[in-house]
Amino acid sequence: MDHMTQTQLAIVHRALKEIADATSHDLTLRQALVLLSVGARGVPANQQTLADQHDLLKPTLSKIIANLAGMTGDVKREAGMGLLTVDLDPTDMRNRVVSLSKDGDRILTRAMKRAFAPRAE
């Protein structure tokens, strides 16, 4: 493995470690990927678009989102992590729109700052 690849892996590792340390929940790899994907978009994402991007069936993605979210519409989920918010898509009521919650945004922002911070060798 070349030095550039090792450096990139170290950055990804630091980001994922920071996310894991900032939450009191154990995230699965799929949950972490969905969280990062929603954060990378910067704008609310349609659930079907996320399902296509991650090559998942919509019901499977719905379960992942439900675990990451604290609220789904007006329904509070006791097991939700509160990292995402979910609303109905105003243009298509059959779809949901997913975005980062304040906590999710704070955690990802901090993780990226720490992951890309200069390291003393």
Side-chain angles (χ1 to χ4, degrees), residues 13-85:
H13 174 262
R14 285 195 302 266
L16 289 174
K17 182 182 182 314
E18 189 63 36
I19 292 167
D21 290 349
T23 65
S24 60
H25 305 278
D26 289 331
L27 294 174
T28 66
L29 184 55
R30 287 263 186 222
Q31 288 171 337
L33 289 172
V34 169
L35 182 65
L36 290 169
S37 175
V38 171
R41 290 178 174 276
V43 295
N46 180 295
Q47 184 176 346
Q48 186 60 54
T49 303
L50 289 172
D52 294 342
Q53 177 186 0
H54 292 278
D55 197 26
L56 294 172
L57 296 174
K58 198 170 173 183
T60 303
L61 182 67
S62 291
K63 289 178 186 175
I64 292 170
I65 289 171
N67 286 329
L68 291 170
M71 295 279 292
T72 301
D74 293 333
V75 179
K76 181 162 177 54
R77 297 186 176 277
E78 294 299 324
M81 297 179 200
L83 301 176
L84 297 177
T85 57

Side-chain angles (χ1 to χ4, degrees), residues 1 4-22 29 32 36 110-112 114-116 119:
M1 187 179 307
M4 180 60 104
T5 302
Q6 289 174 335
T7 302
Q8 291 169 339
L9 284 172
I11 290 170
V12 170
H13 174 262
R14 285 195 302 266
L16 289 174
K17 182 182 182 314
E18 189 63 36
I19 292 167
D21 290 349
L29 184 55
L36 290 169
R110 182 177 175 194
M112 292 304 106
R114 292 201 176 194
F116 288 97
R119 292 287 214 195

